[in-house]
Amino acid sequence: MDKQIKLVKKAMRGNEKAFEKLVENESEKLYKTAFLYMRNQEDALDVLQETIYKAYISIEQIKQPEFFTTWLTKILIRISYDFLRKKKKVILEESFLSTQLTEQSYDIEGKLDLLHAISKLNNNHQTVIILFYYHDMPIRCIGETLNMPENTVKTNLRRAKIDLRRLLGGMEYEQTGHQ
């Protein structure tokens, strides 16, 4: 982490190579996140490109270099939502997904169902699920990223899991005790 902070500080002073290295280190995670929102390669790449551009032109605005990844993720989420709002309709391109997912021991159909179900969640639930499971972010970091109290993150995560179970037709969903 110390190395990343040094790179962030260099990038903040205008060092383009440092910025490139930072983006390179985060690019795979950012692309996967963009893809989860956009559901197709072309749009995910557009979101990623826009995220990198916005980060590049505003890198000097980072207040705490140790939160670079959080800052960059916030930009990506904001751009993804803006893009989805403009596009209105998200298309799940199963052909691309099936070529992207390795067929080792993965259940491709199950993954497609899960991705489709995640896309049906409301924005808060969708983002919390993506950050928690796909970014392995702890609750505290998700709260910081989304400017949300930890208890709200926990509530959104619990509700998102309930909604996913219902959408995927898993365990019988009972109305009693759950709202």
Side-chain angles (χ1 to χ4, degrees), residues 104-135:
Q104 299 160 349
S105 62
Y106 295 127
D107 171 16
I108 291 175
E109 198 171 301
K111 281 200 176 258
L112 289 173
D113 289 345
L114 178 60
L115 290 172
H116 184 69
I118 289 171
S119 74
K120 297 287 185 201
L121 297 175
N122 77 38
N123 288 350
N124 283 335
H125 294 173
Q126 186 180 58
T127 298
V128 169
I129 286 286
I130 289 169
L131 294 178
F132 189 76
Y133 288 105
Y134 291 89
H135 279 261

Side-chain angles (χ1 to χ4, degrees), residues 165-166 169-175 178:
R165 255 188 241 116
R166 184 179 43 77
M171 300 191 288
E172 199 55 40
Y173 180 73
E174 294 181 22
Q175 290 292 335
H178 299 298

Side-chain angles (χ1 to χ4, degrees), residues 124-125 128 139 142-143 146-159:
N124 283 335
H125 294 173
V128 169
I139 301 282
I142 294 171
L146 301 176
N147 296 322
M148 188 183 285
E150 284 183 40
N151 284 336
T152 305
V153 173
K154 290 176 187 175
T155 299
N156 283 335
L157 190 58
R158 183 178 54 77
R159 288 179 179 163

